[in-house]
Amino acid sequence: MPAGFPSISDILPSSKKSGKKAAPIQAAFSEKMEQIKIKEREVETQKDADRLGVPYINLQDFPISPEAMRTLPEAEARERQMVCFYFSGSDSRVGVVAVKPEDAEFIAQFGDRTRTHPKVYLISPHSLEHVLKLYSTLSVVKAVSKDINITDEDINRFELNISNLQSLQSAFKNISISDVLTLIVASALKLNASDVHVETEENKISVRYRIDGVLYDVASLPKEQWKQFVSRIKLLAALKINVTDRPQDGRVTLQLAKDNLDVRISTMPTAYGESIVMRILHSGSKGVTFDELGLRGEVFARLKREVERPNGMIITTGPTGSGKTTTLYAILRTLNKPGVKIITLEDPIEIKMEGLNQSQVDPSHDYTFAKGLRSLLRQDPDICMVGEIRDLETADIAIQAALTGHLMLSTIHTNSASGAIPRLLSMGVKPFLLAPSLNSIIGQRLVRRLCEFCIEDDTVAPEKMERVMQLLESLPPAEKKNVDFKNLHFYHSKGCDKCSGLGYKGRVGIYEIFIMSKEFETIILSEQVSEFAIQDLAIKNGMVTMAQDGILKALDKITTVDEVFRVT
């Protein structure tokens, strides 16, 4: 070092001079110097790769397949300083990293053993050590199959503990990680939960179930179990274990005694870790029929006539989780007869139905709703169902299909039936094509059903009763004459063992439906199209709104006033 140039020890004050303040500065400096050395070693490794004529890779932030790592046991990987990080059995593509890529004999043996043609990459010892640490994560779940096997005994195993949500917490104490997952899924099935949310917080893991559309806290797990739990879930769903900074999606199958259920897994990074949501898709379930949807009176008869028409478009609207797909499947069950070809495009296929040709779109492979719909129409269908209209291209093709002799069913995300037409026009759909293509639009929400085993009379608060009376007074004459205004009774359920103490069991739809007419076509073709104008005309033509339909169902002992106002 040149004379007079200060040394590192001169710049950084010693602990004797500055006490404890020097320690963090020295630690930060050491960490920075270590990072510089690592980068220098990576540069040297890259130069070695160029000299040897092999590709270089740094796996520090690379998504590594757990299935690939399993093809080379940890002991062998450490001995050979080599790891398999990518494996694709479908096309025999395999990626292997090695500190000594010239070990051609062993690489050839590995290729013969896996019946593949490995491509070898040079890796630095530091980057390889990072990958080797992942074997400890894999060992947690090394004996797990690709499916979650849950028997009837598993579902009934904790029967006393999951008779109500509050007592579930005690069931999670002193059980293994594999049993935690089994208990979470088995109790979710027993309670008919549609989604399981596992969320990391600062000091705990929260487990919540969505039952009949509402989230309930059911248990808290120790934070130290998180790493093992998330690794197990990711392995089962074929997700990248070492990717924690971006969302991932996967699927896993529940092997039950009588049926198999698909579970859609979604992970997302959060402040304290990752959030996991497991959606249980009851694909083999019987499903709801058209008669069981909860449609009432004249509306039911009018919609049934529209469903039986040979062409045109029927659209269901509402937010996510409002039962739109269930309604479409109920209509398809009515139409699914010999001599009729029905093709669906879905994302994903939630309910498998015999007699239907169901196709799942895959945007990652450029198989979108629009491209799928073009191919679908070349399959000579009578009835088409498109899971969702998201863009102008899909909307245009769907409208053309409805105008050329096909019955088209689809969904769109709007808050009401009246909002569907402005939404389609805002996408760029031509009004003169939209008006003649539409048959009817259905707006809907789902409300929880009262438990019939603990139902009793309820008193409605004065301010809510005022809103109830306004809705009832504005009913169409045909519906209003069936309401006894002098003898209004509402109900609630206090909670019992049959409903896990919730007071509700199951859900039913509340609807607003308007059928296209000359008046609606005039509004669509004019320049004064608005959701309010369409809503006013629909009400004048006798449409019962969702809120009104809900209040009528509350009078019929089906749901509560609070539940109706919660969703509308």
Side-chain angles (χ1 to χ4, degrees):
M1 185 177 291
F5 193 86
S7 66
I8 297 295
S9 58
D10 293 329
I11 297 172
L12 293 176
S14 68
S15 58
K16 291 181 180 179
K17 294 179 182 179
S18 56
K20 295 181 180 180
K21 291 183 180 179
I25 298 174
Q26 290 173 333
F29 181 80
S30 299
E31 182 180 352
K32 188 67 175 177
M33 291 299 294
E34 182 62 27
Q35 290 175 358
I36 292 172
K37 289 178 181 178
I38 291 171
K39 288 182 179 179
E40 289 175 347
R41 287 196 292 266
E42 292 296 332
V43 171
E44 289 299 321
T45 303
Q46 196 165 2
K47 290 179 180 177
D48 291 340
D50 293 338
R51 180 174 52 81
L52 294 171
V54 295
Y56 158 82
I57 194 170
N58 184 348
L59 293 181
Q60 193 73 28
D61 299 311
F62 192 89
I64 299 171
S65 165
E67 289 81 8
M69 291 187 67
R70 290 189 184 286
T71 61
L72 195 61
E74 181 179 3
E76 204 169 17
R78 289 188 179 277
E79 179 187 352
R80 297 285 181 174
Q81 290 291 281
M82 183 183 299
V83 171
C84 178
F85 70 97
Y86 178 81
F87 187 95
S88 176
S90 60
D91 54 9
S92 300
R93 287 191 301 154
V94 171
V96 175
V97 292
V99 173
K100 298 177 181 178
E102 60 270 19
D103 192 355
E105 183 179 351
F106 178 76
I107 293 170
Q109 291 175 1
F110 176 73
D112 292 339
R113 191 167 70 196
T114 57
R115 297 181 181 179
T116 60
H117 305 287
K119 183 173 183 178
V120 184
Y121 298 79
L122 183 66
I123 191 172
S124 70
H126 176 268
S127 184
L128 180 71
E129 189 59 35
H130 164 75
V131 181
L132 290 173
K133 289 178 182 177
L134 294 177
Y135 275 105
S136 62
T137 307
L138 290 179
S139 64
V140 175
V141 286
K142 62 184 178 182
V144 178
S145 67
K146 288 292 293 178
D147 298 334
I148 304 176
N149 297 291
I150 296 180
T151 65
D152 291 335
E153 288 74 18
D154 289 325
I155 295 177
N156 296 320
R157 180 175 168 191
F158 304 97
E159 185 168 3
L160 294 176
N161 292 326
I162 61 177
S163 59
N164 61 71
L165 295 174
Q166 291 73 24
S167 62
L168 248 181
Q169 177 66 55
S170 60
F172 285 100
K173 294 181 179 178
N174 303 317
I175 61 175
S176 67
I177 289 295
S178 59
D179 278 345
V180 166
L181 181 58
T182 300
L183 175 57
I184 285 176
V185 176
S187 56
L189 292 174
K190 191 171 183 66
L191 292 167
N192 291 320
S194 61
D195 301 85
V196 177
H197 294 241
V198 186
E199 303 161 350
T200 51
E201 299 181 11
E202 186 173 7
N203 300 310
K204 64 179 181 179
I205 306 168
S206 293
V207 180
R208 303 199 287 172
Y209 291 166
R210 187 175 295 280
I211 303 172
D212 293 332
V214 178
L215 273 176
Y216 295 93
D217 293 319
V218 296
S220 296
L221 305 178
K223 185 67 179 284
E224 54 268 21
Q225 289 185 355
W226 176 249
K227 189 173 182 180
Q228 292 177 314
F229 182 83
V230 73
S231 297
R232 178 173 170 79
I233 288 288
K234 284 184 173 182
L235 184 70
L236 290 168
L239 303 179
K240 307 297 183 184
I241 291 178
N242 65 325
V243 174
T244 60
D245 59 350
R246 57 181 180 269
Q248 296 189 76
D249 294 294
R251 292 172 81 94
V252 67
T253 301
L254 298 181
Q255 302 285 357
L256 303 181
K258 297 179 182 178
D259 194 10
N260 294 340
L261 297 180
D262 286 336
V263 180
R264 196 166 66 205
I265 309 288
S266 172
T267 69
M268 182 177 180
T270 61
Y272 298 108
E274 289 177 277
S275 169
I276 295 177
V277 176
M278 296 180 276
R279 166 154 287 190
I280 301 172
L281 305 174
H282 296 272
S283 57
S285 60
K286 174 181 175 290
V288 178
T289 65
F290 189 72
D291 294 335
E292 296 169 339
L293 284 175
L295 296 165
R296 310 169 54 89
E298 178 62 22
V299 171
F300 174 80
R302 291 171 66 187
L303 182 60
K304 194 167 186 179
R305 285 196 297 271
E306 295 302 317
V307 166
E308 292 170 351
R309 288 177 60 179
N311 61 283
M313 185 184 295
I314 297 173
I315 294 178
T316 63
T317 71
T320 301
S322 59
K324 301 185 297 296
T325 303
T326 301
T327 298
L328 291 184
Y329 270 107
I331 294 173
L332 289 176
R333 282 188 179 88
T334 300
L335 300 172
N336 189 14
K337 300 173 183 176
V340 177
K341 180 157 185 174
I342 303 174
I343 306 180
T344 72
L345 281 176
E346 305 172 62
D347 184 21
I349 298 172
E350 296 191 17
I351 302 173
K352 295 182 176 69
M353 189 185 302
E354 189 175 349
L356 271 60
N357 294 275
Q358 298 172 273
S359 180
Q360 180 165 319
V361 301
D362 186 359
S364 65
H365 289 80
D366 200 28
Y367 182 40
T368 61
F369 278 120
K371 291 189 176 180
L373 189 50
R374 281 200 183 91
S375 299
L376 180 155
L377 294 175
R378 290 194 286 270
Q379 291 282 311
D380 188 29
D382 298 295
I383 299 165
C384 313
M385 193 268 270
V386 177
E388 183 184 345
I389 294 177
R390 299 175 179 173
D391 51 52
L392 176 59
E393 188 178 8
T394 307
D396 275 342
I397 300 170
I399 289 170
Q400 292 292 343
L403 291 172
T404 54
H406 303 86
L407 182 63
M408 175 64 64
L409 309 177
S410 192
T411 72
I412 192 169
H413 285 269
T414 60
N415 290 324
S416 66
S418 306
I421 291 174
R423 175 81 177 91
L424 288 166
L425 293 174
S426 70
M427 288 182 186
V429 171
K430 296 178 177 63
F432 63 88
L433 294 177
L434 178 61
S437 68
L438 283 172
N439 288 1
S440 62
I441 300 178
I442 306 168
Q444 66 179 83
R445 297 290 189 279
L446 292 176
V447 293
R448 292 178 291 175
R449 283 181 179 271
L450 285 170
C451 174
E452 59 184 24
F453 296 99
C454 55
I455 194 168
E456 59 185 20
D457 287 344
D458 189 22
T459 302
V460 180
E463 63 275 11
K464 290 182 181 178
M465 195 63 193
E466 186 177 345
R467 292 173 62 189
V468 168
M469 291 306 297
Q470 289 175 355
L471 290 169
L472 293 176
E473 288 288 353
S474 58
L475 278 168
E479 294 287 348
K480 191 174 180 180
K481 68 180 183 181
N482 297 323
V483 178
D484 185 358
F485 284 87
K486 295 180 180 180
N487 192 28
L488 297 177
H489 288 283
F490 296 98
Y491 308 88
H492 79 288
S493 295
K494 59 184 179 181
C496 63
D497 290 340
K498 297 286 186 180
C499 59
S500 300
L502 302 177
Y504 297 97
K505 194 166 184 65
R507 288 189 287 177
V508 66
I510 57 175
Y511 303 91
E512 59 183 30
I513 302 171
F514 71 78
I515 311 297
M516 286 298 293
S517 64
K518 291 290 184 182
E519 293 91 339
F520 287 114
E521 288 194 23
T522 302
I523 288 183
I524 294 173
L525 294 171
S526 72
E527 296 181 358
Q528 306 300 321
V529 181
S530 74
E531 183 174 344
F532 299 107
I534 294 171
Q535 175 108 351
D536 287 343
L537 180 58
I539 291 173
K540 286 177 184 177
N541 287 353
M543 183 182 80
V544 177
T545 67
M546 282 185 283
Q548 289 172 332
D549 188 37
I551 295 301
L552 292 174
K553 285 184 168 71
L555 287 170
D556 289 340
K557 290 188 176 183
I558 296 174
T559 189
T560 65
V561 171
D562 287 342
E563 186 68 6
V564 174
F565 289 152
R566 179 181 70 85
V567 300
T568 61

